[in-house]
Amino acid sequence: MLFESNLTRLEKVGVDDMSDAIWKRVYRCAEELTQQGVTPFSRGDVIRCVQRDDPSCSSDSINPVIQGLTDNLRGGAPSIVGKTLLHSVERGRFVLRDATAQPVSKESANTSGYREIRALENERNRPAEISWEALLIGGYAFKYICEIEPERNGDGTLRVSAPQCRYSNGEGLALNKYGTGPFCKFKIPWNITKSGVYAFVVNGHAKYVGECENLSKRFNMGYGNISPRNCYRGGQETNCRINTLLFESVSEGLKVALWFHETYDYKKVESDLRAQEKFEWNRA
DNA sequence: GAAGGAGGAACGATCGCATC
DNA sequence: GATGCGATCGTTCCTCCTTC
């Protein structure tokens, strides 16, 4: 059978461990509709078909997946197979892209469409103007980024975040050393995409230095927003530990500022700094 | 080898705007 | 108003590198 062999080939390229992935259900439905002679099929046809098997799967989840599988639509949720399965023939109507086409490998799927999306994002997120203010740490000039200002309650007290409570923990994992918090949530501007070395400066004293490839991501998707999984063993303990230290410092009324030294050679600069000075929040 | 620190891929959720 | 499209962000998991 033509369609069965296509799916089999997809599974052979390394995607057979994702039996519940929405993209796979979407593809099966597209095959099913095509076999029934419903081609082109509508977005709604696919959504109804997927929901027939899994009513809990909302159209909000299915829509970006359809988009992400369609070669001539931009955006959507990128899947492991890339934009290789569907083709939009008119607004809201699709056909299987090429029932006889060879699927792309995981590697090539990652290198084409996905990279183009990232390149566009990088272009959009041009670096922000960083203050001219500078701070010398170990001979390197750091620029001021912002003060760390966690979310607060209506009465001005720090809002305590407890992401560990949201983890389903089906494997019965223990909390890691720093998984109990308390945690806070904060963000820095999203448009500082440069690599370099950052420093937490508390009341004028550098407490921690670390490296990053993308400062905004490192903070907004790392330190500033602790994910439930990271509170448990195997999660990113460092994010938990540093977040709690920030929480405690700000709670005590201390000023915590983020400073940044932009460099491509961030590994060397970080190790150089840590060799020169001992920072209280860095571990050995 | 274990632990710490970080990057990145994959997938999904949500939101705003456009179009029918 | 419903549906479709596009963009952005969040979560989880995995891998890599370095240091001890």
Side-chain angles (χ1 to χ4, degrees), chain A residues 211-224:
Chain A
E211 60 181 81
C212 66
E213 201 168 284
N214 179 326
L215 187 72
S216 294
K217 273 198 170 183
R218 183 71 192 97
F219 278 76
N220 295 338
M221 295 172 73
Y223 292 130

Side-chain angles (χ1 to χ4, degrees), chain A residues 1-16 27 31 103:
Chain A
M1 174 78 74
L2 180 64
F3 300 114
E4 281 178 359
S5 63
N6 262 347
L7 190 53
T8 302
R9 284 206 301 271
L10 283 171
E11 287 167 351
K12 281 179 180 171
V13 298
V15 297
D16 51 345
Y27 183 60
E31 285 183 340

